Amino acid sequence: MKKIVAGNWKMNLNKTEAIAHFEAICQSERKTADVDLLVFPPACYLLSFSEKVEKASGNVFLGAQNVHYKNNGAFTGEISAEMLSAMGVKFCLVGHSERRQYFGETDADVAEKVSTLLQHKITPVICVGESLEERESGKHFEVITQQVNAALEHTNVKQLDNLIFAYEPVWAIGTGKTATAEQAEEVHAHVRKVLVKDYGEKAAQIPILYGGSCNASNAEGLFSQPNINGGLIGGASLKLDDFLSISESF
Ligand code: PGA
């Protein structure tokens, strides 16, 4: 199974900081051959980063934080999968809780985006996760099952090679409250079970990342769990040493 550490920069880093950080990641000798590093900078940096990523040592890939599911048209402010692909983008976040919460991204939107991205050979990183209220009322497995199934509504079994899931409990994102390794593993195992039930054994190969206050101190405990294949890192991905330390935590 591939090991993956993904950095979601969100809307952070000015131009000078962003270029310096990305170049440092590309040039670092601390990268290992068996870990893929995915970087999701703000969209305005993608085009210039695509040239740098080609010259990077090791496995660094460029990802986008969002996409529109239509191929073109009157959608002010949006970017299509074809446009992302032309900028060297290989991965795209879908269904991140911030997009669900602040920008009204629904399960139906997620399904459309996944389908469009796959058509353009961009790997969707599908984010699922329960709110604090849902966890406290014991509904988390139900919520996750629904989000996983809904995301794949337009996807067929042949496309599974090209998918990544990320379990990001909403209560752990940016809060400093990480899920324990056991809490995370329990949900990851559940996601895998749901995928295998619907799509067969082949789906057991889909990487499932953990996200939500994952950092250089807790990554090792999380990544040692059998169903946790890496991390989707927000805050800690903005610091070079933290990001690379996390990538060394397998
Ligand atoms: P965090 O964010 O690591 O800052 O909690 C994770 C994410 O939102 O992907």
Side-chain angles (χ1 to χ4, degrees):
M1 173 77 74
K2 260 219 166 333
K3 297 170 186 160
I4 298 166
V5 171
N8 174 11
W9 294 6
K10 310 190 180 183
M11 197 173 72
N12 290 302
L13 302 185
N14 68 30
K15 186 179 167 197
T16 312
E17 293 162 344
I19 292 172
H21 188 36
F22 191 68
E23 284 179 346
I25 293 169
C26 288
Q27 287 156 19
S28 169
E29 297 194 340
R30 286 173 64 189
K31 298 193 292 290
T32 47
D34 62 337
V35 180
D36 284 355
L37 291 185
L38 320 184
V39 180
F40 297 82
C44 56
Y45 301 133
L46 289 170
L47 184 58
S48 75
F49 285 9
S50 68
E51 289 152 22
K52 299 185 199 301
V53 84
E54 278 168 25
K55 296 183 206 126
S57 66
N59 308 330
V60 183
F61 300 94
L62 205 49
Q65 296 177 16
N66 190 26
V67 66
H68 195 277
Y69 57 84
K70 293 275 192 188
N71 287 329
N72 50 50
F75 301 103
T76 301
E78 295 292 319
I79 303 179
S80 74
E82 188 185 327
M83 294 166 189
L84 292 178
S85 180
M87 291 193 287
V89 167
K90 305 287 184 220
F91 297 85
C92 185
L93 300 180
V94 185
H96 189 281
S97 71
E98 286 150 19
R99 295 226 49 96
R100 292 182 193 258
Q101 188 180 345
Y102 305 131
F103 304 100
E105 190 160 313
T106 63
D107 280 341
D109 296 331
V110 171
E112 298 280 6
K113 290 181 179 196
V114 168
S115 164
T116 303
L117 287 166
L118 288 170
Q119 281 165 30
H120 289 86
K121 307 220 174 334
I122 297 174
T123 302
V125 179
I126 304 168
C127 305
V128 297
E130 80 284 0
S131 66
L132 184 59
E133 197 190 338
E134 287 161 344
R135 173 156 285 259
E136 284 176 344
S137 56
K139 287 201 197 120
H140 46 295
F141 290 118
E142 197 184 310
V143 169
I144 302 289
T145 307
Q146 151 70 19
Q147 289 177 343
V148 169
N149 286 335
L152 299 183
E153 183 157 352
H154 309 306
T155 303
N156 66 51
V157 71
K158 291 194 202 108
Q159 299 171 306
L160 295 184
D161 287 345
N162 217 1
L163 276 187
I164 298 175
F165 272 88
Y167 168 55
E168 298 206 305
V170 179
W171 47 271
I173 296 177
T175 58
K177 264 201 219 165
T178 329
T180 63
E182 293 70 29
Q183 280 174 324
E185 168 61 20
E186 192 181 39
V187 177
H188 280 234
H190 176 76
V191 171
R192 202 166 314 279
K193 199 174 82 191
V194 169
L195 292 170
V196 169
K197 179 167 165 277
D198 290 349
Y199 292 93
E201 267 312 310
K202 198 179 162 207
Q205 294 310 312
I206 297 174
I208 308 173
L209 314 182
Y210 170 79
S213 299
C214 183
N215 58 39
S217 320
N218 59 32
E220 198 174 330
L222 288 158
F223 296 175
S224 64
Q225 299 296 316
N227 286 293
I228 301 183
N229 310 116
L232 176 53
I233 321 297
S237 74
L238 300 173
K239 295 187 204 106
L240 182 68
D241 188 49
D242 287 1
F243 188 54
L244 295 173
S245 295
I246 294 169
S247 76
E248 292 163 342
S249 299
F250 289 94

